[in-house]
Amino acid sequence: MLETIEDGTAAAQRLAGGAPLQSTLDVTDPADWLALDAGVREVAWHRPQFLPGWGHSAPLPADLTRVGESRLALALCHRDGRIRQEAVRQSVRYPSLLPLVVIRCADWADPVREHARRLLCEALNVDSALDLAPLILRVGRRDRGAFGVDVLSQILRQASPGQLSVLFADPDRVVRRFAYRLAIEDRLLRPAELARAAAGDRDTVVQDLCATAALTALGDEDDYEGVLLPLLSARNPRVRSAGVTALRRAGRPKQAEPFLSDRSALVRACARYVVQQQGGDPAAWYRERCTAPDDPELPPGAVIGLAECGNRADAGLLRPLLAHPAAGVRARAVAGLRALDCADAKQLRPLLDDPAAGVVRETAAALLPSARELPADWLLERTSSERPRHVRVGAFRLLDARGGVAALRAAVGLLEDPDVKLRTWAAQSVQRWHPSPDGRRGDAEVGELLDRSRHLFSDHMLRRRKWEAGLDI
């Protein structure tokens, strides 16, 4: 695979020496053809000795009809437009060079571009279009590249769904998007097939395209089962939310209730909409499940769902869940109290030592507004290397928000932390530190801490920080 222009340059040199095209680059990889095109010009401009007789001052080769495949490939990429134009004419002798003709369809020189486009229209059929689609779409992003994409669309409209399936599985998401748009416009896929594509593809654009098209194309009641099942069981929340919303149209609102506790906020919101439209009460559904604080089967989504549609009075149901055996439930309980603006710093403080990183992360976020009220020494103790990483991160997040000498003390102490990300964060905290307006000026500890971190500052910035802190410099 040719990954850089340098790789393309090396390939051009090998072709100039007579190496076969197929052994020089991967002819199925669009990137290799583009790298070769750029590499030939690199050689011609900066290393003309590797392409004897093809330099800037060399005349047009007398007879390209006698040039072999490898040399003709170089001619198709040559910096001289006259050579490229003649090479396009001669490329009909070697169908394997059609990818370079595709590139020339976006050439800056009008004669080259027009000859290449005419040849592409004559040479392209369904089979070759399927092979060249990734390259055509890559070239289509360039100026003057839209022509190739238009021709590709016209040719592939003659393809069957089975033939297009090659593009549905292409690793390039741009190719998959193009193929699915084409199939949707021409109604080549059944709703159930579109639903499976939405559930199985990794690209969010393809997911949205296919999920929307599947639901739009639904006609009769019999189609719903084959469409809704893949959508509702999809891993991606956007696809699941489309399936949940479609339950209302399908007249199956009861099937939306289990999704009220989905792990995704988007899916939960769609489920609440469906349930409410049919006269249900999502808040009551959540309250019923959160009344048993020791229920091991309580889904975390039900806990945060209560906060999303409940009121401040529901904080009474969430507080007992702070001691739930499941870490996910504890984390969502903290997040729920924060969402309801009912986070009590005294009650949440112990959770900063929780063994679950997710709980500590939510606790730190909930305690941020109260950071200045928390004991600095208590937080500093939790930044020691003996504590778990997630505890150190949570404590430092609060100290950093607190500011003042306590934040500087913690940041300097973490400059030697075993975790590289935490060390980097601590260094950035030291560099942006400024004395608090209400802090004690002339504090000798501040000077000592700044001296310990002098490698993070220029001499000028270090003197400035000390001057801001009221220290003699």
Side-chain angles (χ1 to χ4, degrees):
M1 178 180 179
L2 310 183
E3 298 182 350
T4 63
I5 291 181
E6 287 73 17
D7 293 337
T9 299
Q13 295 169 8
R14 292 194 295 273
L15 291 175
L21 190 69
Q22 285 72 18
S23 63
T24 304
L25 68 157
D26 182 355
V27 295
T28 65
D29 189 346
D32 279 26
W33 291 106
L34 295 169
L36 175 65
D37 181 48
V40 171
R41 288 191 296 278
E42 178 76 10
V43 173
W45 279 109
H46 302 293
R47 307 179 190 179
Q49 68 273 20
F50 290 108
L51 295 179
W54 292 53
H56 182 68
S57 60
L60 180 69
D63 190 4
L64 280 181
T65 60
R66 298 178 180 274
V67 173
E69 182 186 49
S70 297
R71 297 282 285 179
L72 191 58
L74 297 176
L76 279 162
C77 306
H78 200 276
R79 67 185 180 188
D80 190 324
R82 296 169 301 164
I83 296 177
R84 295 198 305 277
Q85 182 179 352
E86 180 60 23
V88 169
R89 290 194 186 99
Q90 298 299 326
S91 65
V92 293
R93 295 187 287 119
Y94 297 102
S96 60
L97 295 179
L98 192 56
L100 291 175
V101 175
V102 169
I103 297 174
R104 297 282 70 83
C105 286
D107 199 281
W108 67 270
D110 288 346
V112 178
R113 191 167 63 247
E114 293 308 317
H115 278 87
R117 290 178 175 182
R118 187 160 53 249
L119 180 58
L120 181 66
C121 291
E122 295 171 357
L124 208 60
N125 55 41
V126 171
D127 291 334
S128 59
L130 291 171
D131 293 335
L132 291 172
L135 177 61
I136 293 174
L137 293 172
R138 288 275 292 270
V139 175
R141 304 171 198 171
R142 299 180 173 183
D143 291 340
R144 302 175 292 272
F147 176 86
V149 178
D150 291 341
V151 173
L152 179 68
S153 299
Q154 295 170 17
I155 296 295
L156 289 184
R157 289 189 188 281
Q158 306 168 23
S160 66
Q163 290 173 309
L164 277 180
S165 63
V166 175
L167 302 185
F168 297 154
D170 195 278
D172 188 341
R173 62 185 179 181
V174 174
V175 175
R176 299 199 305 277
R177 291 173 185 177
F178 173 83
Y180 277 116
R181 284 193 178 103
L182 205 63
I184 290 168
E185 289 173 8
D186 292 349
R187 300 183 180 182
L188 299 179
L189 298 176
R190 297 189 302 274
E193 292 173 318
L194 289 167
R196 288 194 293 271
D201 201 278
R202 302 180 303 277
D203 181 53
T204 55
V205 173
V206 172
Q207 292 164 2
D208 287 345
L209 273 173
C210 293
T212 303
L215 296 174
T216 302
L218 279 175
D220 53 67
E221 188 71 22
D222 295 335
D223 288 327
Y224 274 95
E225 198 64 41
V227 171
L228 290 178
L229 186 59
L231 297 181
L232 294 173
S233 59
R235 293 186 62 184
N236 185 274
R238 296 169 67 91
V239 179
R240 288 202 308 281
S241 66
V244 170
T245 305
L247 288 170
R248 175 173 176 263
R249 176 180 164 189
R252 307 178 184 184
K254 291 295 290 183
Q255 290 186 23
E257 286 191 356
F259 294 93
L260 290 170
S261 60
D262 193 272
R263 62 184 180 274
S264 164
L266 175 63
V267 178
R268 292 194 299 270
C270 291
R272 287 195 293 271
Y273 165 77
V274 174
V275 171
Q276 287 171 338
Q277 291 299 305
Q278 299 299 321
D281 186 356
W285 189 93
Y286 287 127
R287 291 184 185 112
E288 180 182 351
R289 277 147 188 80
C290 293
T291 51
D294 297 326
D295 180 9
E297 302 299 323
L298 177 63
V303 179
I304 190 63
L306 176 59
E308 289 168 343
C309 70
N311 52 53
R312 290 173 62 88
D314 292 313
L317 292 174
L318 297 180
R319 290 190 182 98
L321 298 176
L322 296 175
H324 195 276
V329 172
R330 296 198 302 275
R332 299 302 181 275
V334 174
L337 290 170
R338 178 188 173 205
L340 293 172
D341 196 23
C342 294
D344 179 76
K346 184 177 180 181
Q347 188 176 39
L348 295 182
R349 265 181 57 184
L351 290 174
L352 205 62
D353 292 318
D354 197 279
V359 177
V360 175
R361 185 166 52 249
E362 291 290 352
T363 301
L367 291 176
L368 278 177
S370 309
R372 296 185 65 84
E373 302 169 13
L374 298 173
D377 292 342
W378 181 82
L379 289 173
L380 189 63
E381 180 185 347
R382 278 150 182 77
T383 63
S384 71
S385 59
E386 299 172 357
R387 300 278 181 166
R389 180 189 182 277
H390 65 273
V391 173
R392 301 201 305 276
V393 169
F396 181 58
R397 184 180 179 186
L398 293 168
L399 283 164
D400 191 42
R402 178 191 180 93
V405 66
L408 182 62
R409 189 184 304 134
V412 173
L414 287 171
L415 291 177
E416 298 180 358
D417 192 88
D419 184 79
V420 62
K421 290 186 178 180
L422 196 47
R423 288 200 307 271
T424 302
W425 183 15
Q428 293 169 345
S429 178
V430 172
Q431 290 172 325
R432 65 172 180 264
W433 182 86
H434 293 276
S436 299
D438 56 351
R440 181 164 61 92
R441 294 183 59 77
D443 190 338
E445 184 187 5
V446 172
E448 179 188 348
L449 292 170
L450 289 174
D451 285 336
R452 286 172 56 188
S453 56
R454 66 169 51 248
H455 62 286
L456 300 174
F457 299 97
S458 66
D459 291 340
H460 168 72
M461 289 307 299
L462 183 61
R463 287 195 300 272
R464 184 179 178 86
R465 288 288 186 275
K466 288 186 175 181
W467 175 79
E468 290 178 1
L471 297 166
D472 295 332
I473 52 175

Coordinates of all heavy atoms in Angstrom, one line a residue, residues 187-240:
R187 N -35.4 2.5 -4.7 CA -36.2 1.5 -4.0 C -35.8 0.1 -4.3 O -36.6 -0.8 -4.6 CB -37.7 1.7 -4.3 CG -38.2 3.1 -3.9 CD -39.7 3.3 -4.2 NE -40.1 4.6 -3.9 CZ -41.4 5.0 -4.0 NH1 -42.3 4.2 -4.5 NH2 -41.7 6.2 -3.6
L188 N -34.5 -0.2 -4.2 CA -34.0 -1.5 -4.5 C -34.0 -2.4 -3.3 O -33.9 -3.6 -3.5 CB -32.5 -1.4 -5.0 CG -32.3 -0.6 -6.3 CD1 -30.8 -0.5 -6.6 CD2 -33.1 -1.2 -7.4
L189 N -34.1 -1.9 -2.1 CA -34.1 -2.7 -0.9 C -35.5 -2.7 -0.2 O -36.1 -1.6 -0.1 CB -33.0 -2.2 0.1 CG -31.6 -2.3 -0.5 CD1 -30.6 -1.6 0.5 CD2 -31.2 -3.7 -0.7
R190 N -35.8 -3.8 0.4 CA -37.1 -3.9 1.1 C -36.9 -3.3 2.5 O -35.7 -3.1 3.0 CB -37.5 -5.4 1.3 CG -37.8 -6.1 0.0 CD -38.4 -7.4 0.2 NE -37.6 -8.3 1.0 CZ -36.6 -9.0 0.5 NH1 -36.4 -9.0 -0.8 NH2 -35.8 -9.8 1.3
P191 N -38.0 -2.8 3.2 CA -37.8 -2.2 4.5 C -37.1 -3.1 5.5 O -36.3 -2.5 6.3 CB -39.3 -2.0 4.9 CG -40.0 -1.9 3.6 CD -39.3 -2.8 2.7
A192 N -37.3 -4.4 5.5 CA -36.6 -5.2 6.4 C -35.1 -5.2 6.1 O -34.3 -5.3 7.1 CB -37.1 -6.6 6.4
E193 N -34.7 -5.2 4.9 CA -33.3 -5.2 4.5 C -32.6 -3.8 5.0 O -31.5 -3.8 5.5 CB -33.1 -5.4 3.0 CG -33.5 -6.7 2.5 CD -33.5 -6.8 1.0 OE1 -33.9 -5.9 0.3 OE2 -33.0 -7.9 0.5
L194 N -33.4 -2.8 4.8 CA -32.9 -1.5 5.3 C -32.7 -1.4 6.8 O -31.8 -0.9 7.3 CB -33.8 -0.4 4.8 CG -33.8 -0.1 3.3 CD1 -35.0 0.8 2.9 CD2 -32.5 0.6 2.9
A195 N -33.7 -2.0 7.5 CA -33.6 -2.1 8.9 C -32.4 -2.8 9.4 O -31.7 -2.4 10.3 CB -34.9 -2.7 9.5
R196 N -32.1 -4.0 8.7 CA -30.9 -4.7 9.1 C -29.6 -4.0 8.8 O -28.7 -4.0 9.6 CB -30.9 -6.1 8.4 CG -32.0 -7.1 8.9 CD -31.7 -8.5 8.4 NE -31.9 -8.6 6.9 CZ -33.0 -8.8 6.3 NH1 -34.1 -9.0 7.1 NH2 -33.1 -8.9 5.0
A197 N -29.6 -3.2 7.7 CA -28.5 -2.4 7.4 C -28.3 -1.3 8.4 O -27.1 -1.0 8.9 CB -28.6 -1.8 6.0
A198 N -29.4 -0.7 8.9 CA -29.3 0.4 9.9 C -28.7 -0.2 11.2 O -27.9 0.4 11.9 CB -30.6 1.0 10.1
A199 N -29.1 -1.4 11.5 CA -28.7 -2.0 12.8 C -27.3 -2.5 12.7 O -26.6 -2.6 13.7 CB -29.6 -3.2 13.2
G200 N -26.8 -2.9 11.5 CA -25.5 -3.5 11.4 C -24.4 -2.6 11.0 O -23.2 -2.9 11.3
D201 N -24.6 -1.5 10.4 CA -23.6 -0.6 9.9 C -23.0 0.2 11.0 O -23.7 0.6 12.0 CB -24.1 0.3 8.8 CG -22.9 0.8 7.9 OD1 -22.3 1.8 8.3 OD2 -22.7 0.3 6.9
R202 N -21.7 0.6 10.9 CA -21.0 1.3 12.0 C -21.1 2.8 11.8 O -20.9 3.6 12.7 CB -19.5 1.0 12.0 CG -19.3 -0.5 12.2 CD -17.8 -0.8 12.3 NE -17.1 -0.3 11.1 CZ -17.0 -1.0 9.9 NH1 -17.6 -2.2 9.8 NH2 -16.4 -0.6 8.9
D203 N -21.5 3.3 10.6 CA -21.5 4.7 10.3 C -22.9 5.3 10.6 O -23.9 4.8 10.2 CB -21.2 4.9 8.8 CG -21.2 6.4 8.4 OD1 -20.5 7.1 9.1 OD2 -22.0 6.7 7.5
T204 N -22.9 6.4 11.4 CA -24.1 7.0 11.8 C -25.0 7.5 10.7 O -26.2 7.5 10.7 CB -23.9 8.1 12.8 OG1 -23.0 9.1 12.2 CG2 -23.2 7.6 14.1
V205 N -24.3 8.0 9.6 CA -25.0 8.5 8.5 C -25.8 7.4 7.8 O -27.0 7.5 7.4 CB -24.1 9.2 7.5 CG1 -24.8 9.6 6.2 CG2 -23.5 10.4 8.1
V206 N -25.1 6.3 7.6 CA -25.8 5.1 7.0 C -27.0 4.6 7.9 O -28.0 4.3 7.4 CB -24.8 4.0 6.8 CG1 -25.5 2.7 6.3 CG2 -23.8 4.3 5.7
Q207 N -26.7 4.6 9.2 CA -27.7 4.2 10.1 C -29.0 5.1 10.0 O -30.1 4.6 9.9 CB -27.2 4.3 11.6 CG -26.1 3.3 11.9 CD -25.4 3.6 13.1 OE1 -25.7 4.6 13.8 NE2 -24.4 2.8 13.5
D208 N -28.8 6.4 10.0 CA -29.9 7.3 9.9 C -30.6 7.2 8.5 O -31.9 7.1 8.5 CB -29.5 8.8 10.0 CG -29.1 9.1 11.5 OD1 -29.5 8.3 12.4 OD2 -28.4 10.1 11.7
L209 N -29.8 7.1 7.5 CA -30.4 6.9 6.1 C -31.3 5.7 6.1 O -32.5 5.8 5.6 CB -29.3 6.8 5.1 CG -28.7 8.0 4.5 CD1 -27.5 7.6 3.6 CD2 -29.7 8.8 3.6
C210 N -30.7 4.6 6.5 CA -31.5 3.3 6.3 C -32.6 3.2 7.3 O -33.7 2.6 6.9 CB -30.5 2.1 6.5 SG -29.3 2.0 5.2
A211 N -32.5 3.6 8.5 CA -33.6 3.6 9.5 C -34.7 4.4 9.0 O -35.9 4.0 9.0 CB -33.1 4.0 10.9
T212 N -34.5 5.6 8.6 CA -35.5 6.5 8.1 C -36.2 5.9 6.9 O -37.4 6.0 6.7 CB -34.9 7.9 7.8 OG1 -34.3 8.4 8.9 CG2 -36.0 8.8 7.3
A213 N -35.4 5.4 5.9 CA -36.0 4.8 4.7 C -36.8 3.6 5.0 O -37.9 3.4 4.4 CB -34.8 4.5 3.7
A214 N -36.4 2.8 6.0 CA -37.1 1.6 6.3 C -38.5 1.9 6.9 O -39.5 1.3 6.5 CB -36.3 0.8 7.3
L215 N -38.5 2.9 7.7 CA -39.8 3.3 8.3 C -40.7 4.0 7.3 O -41.9 3.9 7.4 CB -39.6 4.2 9.6 CG -38.8 3.5 10.7 CD1 -38.5 4.4 11.8 CD2 -39.6 2.3 11.2
T216 N -40.1 4.8 6.5 CA -40.9 5.5 5.5 C -41.5 4.6 4.4 O -42.6 4.8 4.0 CB -40.0 6.5 4.7 OG1 -39.4 7.4 5.7 CG2 -40.8 7.3 3.7
A217 N -40.8 3.5 4.1 CA -41.3 2.6 3.1 C -42.3 1.6 3.6 O -42.9 0.8 2.9 CB -40.1 1.8 2.5
L218 N -42.5 1.6 4.9 CA -43.5 0.6 5.5 C -44.9 0.9 4.9 O -45.3 2.0 4.9 CB -43.5 0.7 7.0 CG -42.4 0.0 7.8 CD1 -42.5 0.3 9.3 CD2 -42.5 -1.5 7.5
G219 N -45.5 -0.2 4.5 CA -46.8 -0.1 4.0 C -47.9 -0.7 4.8 O -48.8 -0.1 5.3
D220 N -47.8 -2.0 5.0 CA -48.9 -2.7 5.7 C -48.4 -3.3 7.0 O -47.2 -3.3 7.3 CB -49.4 -3.9 4.8 CG -48.3 -4.8 4.3 OD1 -47.7 -5.5 5.2 OD2 -48.0 -4.8 3.1
E221 N -49.3 -3.8 7.8 CA -49.0 -4.3 9.2 C -48.0 -5.4 9.2 O -47.2 -5.6 10.1 CB -50.3 -4.7 9.8 CG -50.2 -5.1 11.3 CD -50.0 -3.8 12.1 OE1 -50.3 -2.7 11.7 OE2 -49.5 -4.0 13.3
D222 N -48.0 -6.2 8.1 CA -47.1 -7.4 8.1 C -45.7 -7.0 8.1 O -44.8 -7.8 8.5 CB -47.5 -8.3 6.9 CG -48.9 -8.8 7.0 OD1 -49.4 -9.0 8.1 OD2 -49.4 -9.1 6.0
D223 N -45.3 -5.8 7.6 CA -43.9 -5.4 7.5 C -43.3 -5.1 8.8 O -42.1 -5.1 8.9 CB -43.8 -4.2 6.5 CG -44.0 -4.6 5.1 OD1 -43.7 -5.8 4.7 OD2 -44.6 -3.8 4.3
Y224 N -44.1 -4.7 9.8 CA -43.6 -4.1 11.0 C -42.6 -5.0 11.8 O -41.6 -4.6 12.3 CB -44.7 -3.6 11.9 CG -45.2 -2.2 11.6 CD1 -46.2 -2.0 10.7 CD2 -44.5 -1.1 12.1 CE1 -46.7 -0.8 10.4 CE2 -44.9 0.2 11.8 CZ -46.0 0.3 10.9 OH -46.4 1.6 10.6
E225 N -43.0 -6.3 11.9 CA -42.2 -7.2 12.7 C -40.8 -7.3 12.1 O -39.8 -7.3 12.9 CB -42.9 -8.6 12.7 CG -42.4 -9.5 13.8 CD -42.7 -9.0 15.2 OE1 -43.9 -8.4 15.3 OE2 -41.9 -9.0 16.1
G226 N -40.7 -7.4 10.8 CA -39.3 -7.6 10.2 C -38.5 -6.3 10.3 O -37.3 -6.4 10.2
V227 N -39.2 -5.2 10.4 CA -38.4 -3.9 10.5 C -38.1 -3.5 11.9 O -37.0 -3.1 12.3 CB -39.3 -2.8 9.8 CG1 -38.6 -1.4 10.1 CG2 -39.3 -3.0 8.3
L228 N -39.1 -3.6 12.8 CA -38.9 -3.2 14.2 C -38.0 -4.0 15.0 O -37.2 -3.5 15.8 CB -40.3 -3.1 14.9 CG -41.3 -2.1 14.4 CD1 -42.6 -2.2 15.2 CD2 -40.7 -0.7 14.6
L229 N -38.0 -5.3 14.8 CA -37.1 -6.1 15.6 C -35.6 -5.8 15.4 O -34.9 -5.6 16.4 CB -37.3 -7.6 15.2 CG -36.5 -8.6 16.1 CD1 -36.9 -8.4 17.6 CD2 -36.8 -10.0 15.6
P230 N -35.1 -5.6 14.1 CA -33.7 -5.2 14.0 C -33.4 -3.8 14.6 O -32.4 -3.6 15.2 CB -33.4 -5.2 12.5 CG -34.5 -6.1 11.9 CD -35.7 -5.9 12.8
L231 N -34.4 -2.9 14.4 CA -34.1 -1.5 14.9 C -34.1 -1.5 16.4 O -33.2 -0.9 17.0 CB -35.2 -0.6 14.4 CG -35.3 -0.4 12.9 CD1 -36.4 0.6 12.5 CD2 -34.0 0.1 12.3
L232 N -35.0 -2.2 17.1 CA -35.1 -2.2 18.5 C -34.0 -2.9 19.2 O -33.7 -2.7 20.4 CB -36.5 -2.8 19.0 CG -37.7 -2.0 18.6 CD1 -39.0 -2.8 18.9 CD2 -37.7 -0.6 19.3
S233 N -33.4 -3.8 18.5 CA -32.3 -4.6 19.1 C -30.9 -4.1 18.6 O -29.9 -4.7 19.0 CB -32.4 -6.1 18.6 OG -32.3 -6.2 17.2
A234 N -30.9 -3.0 17.9 CA -29.6 -2.4 17.4 C -28.8 -1.9 18.6 O -29.3 -1.4 19.6 CB -29.8 -1.3 16.5
R235 N -27.4 -1.9 18.5 CA -26.5 -1.4 19.5 C -26.5 0.1 19.5 O -26.4 0.7 20.6 CB -25.1 -1.9 19.3 CG -25.0 -3.4 19.5 CD -23.5 -3.9 19.4 NE -22.7 -3.2 20.4 CZ -21.4 -3.3 20.5 NH1 -20.7 -4.1 19.6 NH2 -20.7 -2.7 21.5
N236 N -26.7 0.7 18.3 CA -26.6 2.2 18.3 C -27.9 2.8 18.8 O -29.0 2.4 18.3 CB -26.4 2.6 16.8 CG -26.1 4.1 16.7 OD1 -27.1 4.8 16.6 ND2 -24.9 4.5 16.7
P237 N -27.8 3.8 19.7 CA -29.0 4.4 20.3 C -29.8 5.1 19.2 O -31.1 5.2 19.4 CB -28.5 5.3 21.4 CG -27.0 5.5 21.0 CD -26.6 4.3 20.3
R238 N -29.2 5.7 18.2 CA -30.0 6.4 17.2 C -30.9 5.5 16.5 O -32.1 5.9 16.2 CB -29.1 7.2 16.3 CG -28.2 8.2 16.9 CD -27.1 8.7 15.9 NE -27.7 9.4 14.8 CZ -27.9 10.7 14.8 NH1 -27.6 11.4 15.8 NH2 -28.4 11.3 13.7
V239 N -30.4 4.3 16.2 CA -31.3 3.3 15.5 C -32.4 2.8 16.4 O -33.5 2.7 16.0 CB -30.4 2.2 15.0 CG1 -31.3 1.1 14.3 CG2 -29.3 2.7 14.0
R240 N -32.0 2.5 17.7 CA -33.0 2.1 18.6 C -34.1 3.1 18.8 O -35.3 2.8 18.9 CB -32.4 1.7 20.0 CG -31.6 0.5 20.0 CD -31.5 -0.1 21.4 NE -31.0 0.9 22.4 CZ -29.7 1.3 22.6 NH1 -28.8 0.8 21.8 NH2 -29.4 2.1 23.5

